[in-house]
Amino acid sequence: MLKSGPKAKENELSLGQKNKIRNWYVQPYITMVDDALEAIEDKHLKANILKQLIGLVTKEKSQYSFTQRQLTIHEDAVQQDEKLKSDIGKVLQKIPSSISHNISADEIYTPLFKLLHEFRFNKNPDSQSADLINNFLAQNAETSNLYEATYHKTETLARRLLTDGPEVKEAQVEKAVLDIIAEELEAMTPAEATEEKEITDALENKTQKKDAKKEKAKPVLHSFKKDNTKERKSLKQEAQDFQFAQSLQQIENDEILARQLAQEESDEALARKLDREYNHRL
């Protein structure tokens, strides 16, 4: 059994303890969730789904029911977190069915369960009978193979950290786990993906504004269920004005075309005259 180390200051863990939480516990299990979403090729959708799934283990503690926070977790009996399973299913429903059937909810549940209960809530995953087994072995096993035969307890995360620093409180461990989860999640979201999304959003907004401007410039056509004489007359007048303006434009276009044709004919006539005079002089 590990002995208690010196007390840590409030909210202070050693660098070794923080690295152990990151490298041994948080990062590998976030990666497992990310790997389970490999079928999602759209990196923006994948990053969004990953963020929502990891968010299931980083909510305010008050958002977890008493039953959920007090699940029995050890090697001999592990209570399933049905609420966590249900929440995972709701997130996966946001993925197109053509993709979601390639994603295993079980592969996501296991790492999230460990992140939430074993690491954040500092639950002990050990066998209840570990101490009894070890006491029996100590009394009956030969000294030469006692260590190899002993059941090596995993213990809570807070106890595991004693090999790398001072004794820490559960609240300190929980805060460290949540902080490192947030850092790792941010690191796993490619910066270029965020930049590309911002550029895409800006282009879409610009296009939408242009389309709205074009739509606004078009003649407005109204329909009425009730007979409104005044508004009908106004619309009729608008339609007549619009048609008149079009007719004026057409007249102007026809006149311009006529002038162009006349000028072309005049130019051709002048060219023929000059050609005849030139031939006559020859």
Side-chain angles (χ1 to χ4, degrees):
M1 192 65 127
L2 294 171
K3 295 181 180 180
S4 297
K7 298 286 184 179
K9 294 181 180 179
E10 190 66 24
N11 298 324
E12 182 181 335
L13 281 77
S14 72
L15 180 60
Q17 289 172 325
K18 291 179 182 178
N19 287 338
K20 191 168 189 176
I21 292 175
R22 182 187 305 277
N23 300 326
W24 287 33
Y25 305 118
V26 171
Q27 189 181 62
Y29 289 98
I30 292 181
T31 301
M32 287 174 65
V33 178
D34 186 61
D35 289 344
L37 302 175
E38 188 177 3
I40 305 177
E41 295 182 359
D42 186 325
K43 59 186 175 182
H44 301 302
L45 176 60
K46 183 180 180 181
N48 185 37
I49 295 298
L50 177 64
K51 183 178 179 180
Q52 291 186 48
L53 289 171
I54 299 301
L56 298 177
V57 304
T58 59
K59 297 185 293 186
E60 291 291 334
K61 189 173 286 188
S62 60
Q63 293 183 268
Y64 300 98
S65 67
F66 178 81
T67 301
Q68 197 173 11
R69 295 198 305 269
Q70 299 300 321
L71 290 180
T72 299
I73 301 173
H74 51 69
E75 189 174 292
D76 290 343
V78 177
Q79 287 183 291
Q80 297 295 303
D81 189 338
E82 300 299 335
K83 180 65 167 61
L84 179 60
K85 284 185 178 181
S86 174
D87 290 342
I88 290 172
K90 291 176 182 178
V91 174
L92 296 184
Q93 285 178 358
K94 301 176 183 180
I95 303 173
S97 57
S98 59
I99 302 174
S100 61
H101 73 276
N102 292 319
I103 299 173
S104 170
D106 290 337
E107 290 182 9
I108 295 170
Y109 170 78
T110 299
L112 290 187
F113 182 91
K114 293 183 75 69
L115 284 169
L116 177 61
H117 295 285
E118 188 175 328
F119 304 149
R120 180 181 175 183
F121 291 161
N122 198 44
K123 293 290 184 178
N124 189 346
D126 292 344
S127 167
Q128 288 181 319
S129 58
D131 288 332
L132 293 175
I133 294 172
N134 287 341
N135 288 335
F136 176 81
L137 290 172
Q139 294 173 9
N140 299 281
E142 295 181 5
T143 306
S144 59
N145 68 346
L146 179 60
Y147 180 80
E148 289 75 11
T150 301
Y151 182 95
H152 300 290
K153 296 180 67 176
T154 305
E155 310 222 29
T156 63
L157 180 55
R159 292 289 296 172
R160 297 179 218 178
L161 296 175
L162 289 178
T163 58
D164 299 274
E167 181 180 353
V168 291
K169 297 178 181 179
E170 288 189 8
Q172 293 173 268
V173 175
E174 180 181 16
K175 183 179 185 305
V177 168
L178 291 175
D179 289 345
I180 293 172
I181 286 176
E183 293 169 5
E184 288 301 313
L185 190 60
E186 183 178 357
M188 292 179 70
T189 303
E192 63 271 15
T194 304
E195 292 173 0
E196 288 176 7
K197 189 175 188 307
E198 290 176 352
I199 293 172
T200 302
D201 290 344
L203 291 174
E204 288 180 353
N205 290 335
K206 188 174 182 180
T207 303
Q208 289 174 357
K209 288 180 180 179
K210 284 185 177 180
D211 292 342
K213 189 175 181 181
K214 289 180 181 178
E215 191 67 27
K216 188 175 180 181
K218 292 180 180 178
V220 181
L221 302 177
H222 300 274
S223 62
F224 299 91
K225 292 183 179 179
K226 295 183 179 180
D227 185 11
N228 191 318
T229 305
K230 184 177 180 181
E231 291 180 345
R232 286 178 178 275
K233 286 183 178 180
S234 177
L235 287 175
K236 184 177 180 181
Q237 185 61 46
E238 288 180 9
Q240 290 176 346
D241 292 343
F242 181 71
Q243 291 176 353
F244 179 69
Q246 282 188 320
S247 63
L248 288 178
Q249 183 64 46
Q250 186 61 44
I251 291 172
E252 183 178 349
N253 291 339
D254 292 344
E255 184 177 350
I256 292 173
L257 181 61
R259 289 178 180 178
Q260 289 177 341
L261 291 174
Q263 184 63 46
E264 290 176 359
E265 291 177 356
S266 175
D267 292 343
E268 289 180 0
L270 178 60
R272 287 195 296 271
K273 179 180 178 183
L274 292 174
D275 187 55
R276 285 196 301 271
E277 291 179 353
Y278 176 75
N279 291 333
H280 181 70
R281 285 197 300 269
L282 292 176

